[in-house]
């Protein structure tokens, strides 16, 4: 089942669900980009590189947590559907 979830994550979730397609998402991305640029000009090169490594680490953590939640949610949904189909009324 893990292989199926990996395929679903890689082929569907990242392509379809990670697209910024709402006004709120675009607004938040713009705010983040503006803040990033503001901070970047305040830092020297070494500080800027350290900040970029920090941000990259945060992104990796975020993706890891999102992927784990996605897998757990899929596993829960399958278990729930399986068990609810076996309930006798």
């Amino acid at each position: 089942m893990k292989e199926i979830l990996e395929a679903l994550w890689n082929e569907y979730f990242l392509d379809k669900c990670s697209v910024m397609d709402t006004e709120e998402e675009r607004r938040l991305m713009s705010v983040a980009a503006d803040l990033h640029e503001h901070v970047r000009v305040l830092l020297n090169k070494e500080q800027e590189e350290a900040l970029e490594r920090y941000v990259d680490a945060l992104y990796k953590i975020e993706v890891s947590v999102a992927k784990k939640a996605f897998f757990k949610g899929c596993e829960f949904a399958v278990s729930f559907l399986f068990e609810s189909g076996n309930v006798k009324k």
Side-chain angles (χ1 to χ4, degrees):
M1 182 163 155
K2 184 162 176 131
E3 294 82 22
I4 293 170
L5 292 176
E6 286 284 347
L8 187 57
W9 173 262
N10 292 326
E11 296 169 15
Y12 180 77
F13 185 78
L14 289 178
D15 289 341
K16 305 290 184 197
C17 299
S18 62
V19 174
M20 302 271 180
D21 58 357
T22 68
E23 190 59 38
E24 179 67 5
E25 290 168 336
R26 286 189 287 273
R27 184 189 70 74
L28 291 170
M29 183 59 77
S30 178
V31 168
D34 290 346
L35 289 169
H36 181 263
E37 182 59 25
H38 178 72
V39 168
R40 192 187 65 75
V41 299
L42 297 174
L43 304 175
N44 65 38
K45 190 67 174 167
E46 182 181 348
Q47 292 168 328
E48 184 181 352
E49 289 172 359
L51 177 65
E52 292 302 323
R53 288 191 305 273
Y54 171 70
V55 169
D56 288 344
L58 289 178
Y59 285 148
K60 289 176 183 176
I61 291 167
E62 181 181 7
V63 168
S64 177
V65 169
K67 185 176 181 180
K68 184 177 181 180
F70 175 77
F71 279 35
K72 292 292 183 185
C74 288
E75 290 167 359
F76 171 78
V78 169
S79 296
F80 179 79
L81 291 172
F82 180 75
E83 286 183 28
S84 66
N86 292 326
V87 175
K88 295 180 182 177
K89 297 182 180 181

